[in-house]
Amino acid sequence: MSKAERFRALHHGRVPGEPLVLPGPWDAASARVFVDAGFPALATPSAGVAASLGYEDGATPADEMFAAVARIVRAVDVPVSADVEGGYGIAPKELVERLLEAGAVGCNLEDSDGGVLKDAARHADWLAEVRGAAGGQLFVNARVDVFIHGDSDPERAIERAALYVAAGADCVYPIGAPSDVLPLLRAGIQGPVNVLARLDGPSMSELGELGATRVTFGPGLQRRSAEAVRETAVGLR
């Protein structure tokens, strides 16, 4: 079984309360820490990688993002999915080629640009092109930004998710969805659902019971690590 097949299989057959938990490494060292802790796969956060490279979220040049992903992939022997934001304006075929060159088995793709939601139908068509170019070699996680850049209407999130699933998305990621609407989203979305966890929020098992198939952390772990380093540094003065 290839890494991509292993990664896809991890998303299926989950039971309530036992979601797939994917920590987000921002560099090779953090990736090794997560693998040593026993996690079966990883999912890079674009904001965390950006911070490690000295950029603001959303400002990382494409070449540097793909290079960072490649370094993380080389450092571990588990499947790694890559957050490549909105695709950097790269044509679907080239985007897939660059992800595969970096060694990624999946990708996270946003449906907003500059804080504004994209036209859902056109975005679905673009996702279909990415999925077609990738075949079964990439697990496509379609981010739905209704709760961070839209009107936070769960029904609208479900409508957009349906278009993306029909386009071939393997998973849907309604980022920022409040925990109390997760059961509604779970009931209305076909296939795996990715939920963003907050370190001070519900536990992984609680998120699973609410409907999460997969749990990721965005830049939360990188920011917690940076805060720990800052506190240590202050204590050394």
Side-chain angles (χ1 to χ4, degrees), residues 7 79 85 90 96 98 106-108 158 209 224 236:
F7 188 68
E85 304 178 280
I90 301 171
V96 168
R98 298 194 69 173
C107 57
N108 186 71
I158 290 170
E209 293 286 356
R224 175 68 64 86
L236 294 174

Side-chain angles (χ1 to χ4, degrees), residues 75-93:
V76 297
D77 60 0
V78 302
V80 177
S81 182
D83 182 349
V84 288
E85 304 178 280
Y88 309 110
I90 301 171
K93 185 175 183 295

Side-chain angles (χ1 to χ4, degrees), residues 141-144 147 153-166 169-175 177 181-195 211 213:
N141 188 35
R143 205 176 91 173
V144 177
F147 295 99
D153 181 353
E155 293 298 336
R156 183 163 298 184
I158 290 170
E159 290 171 2
R160 295 175 80 89
L163 288 173
Y164 305 159
V165 170
D170 296 284
C171 185
V172 174
Y173 181 17
I175 186 172
V181 305
L182 293 181
L184 176 61
L185 295 175
R186 172 66 283 169
I189 296 174
Q190 294 184 9
V193 175
N194 187 162
V195 171
T213 308

